[in-house]
Amino acid sequence: MPKMKTNRGAAKRFRLTASGKIKRHSAYHSHILTKKSSKRKRKLRQESLITKADEKRVKRMILG
């Protein structure tokens, strides 16, 4: 049986932390920024962790 391939789209979007958690970038920060407040845009710049429910699925995509 061949090895599982890494999902390249997922590999570009998610990163593993040293403790094995998965970081992601926030959505809604690419366009139509004029109506969003400075506070909201500042919060969207920060990375956050993915939810526990998605962790198993995303890890399988990244680690292949």
Side-chain angles (χ1 to χ4, degrees):
M1 183 143 179
K3 293 181 188 177
M4 263 182 75
K5 289 189 174 183
T6 301
N7 183 313
R8 298 314 295 165
K12 292 166 190 173
R13 286 169 172 81
F14 304 107
R15 280 198 323 212
L16 277 171
T17 61
S19 61
K21 294 174 184 166
I22 303 169
K23 287 197 295 191
R24 64 170 181 85
H25 283 288
S26 302
Y28 312 112
H29 192 60
S30 54
H31 60 102
I32 316 176
L33 298 173
T34 50
K35 62 174 84 168
K36 293 169 189 161
S37 67
S38 299
K39 181 182 178 181
R40 185 173 164 195
K41 288 186 279 191
R42 194 162 54 245
K43 291 283 185 191
L44 290 171
R45 266 185 247 141
Q46 297 170 357
E47 288 184 332
S48 55
L49 299 173
I50 65 163
T51 59
K52 189 87 173 122
D54 296 326
E55 213 165 279
K56 186 178 176 184
R57 194 169 359 136
V58 174
K59 261 187 186 167
R60 196 180 298 141
M61 285 195 288
I62 299 175
L63 301 175

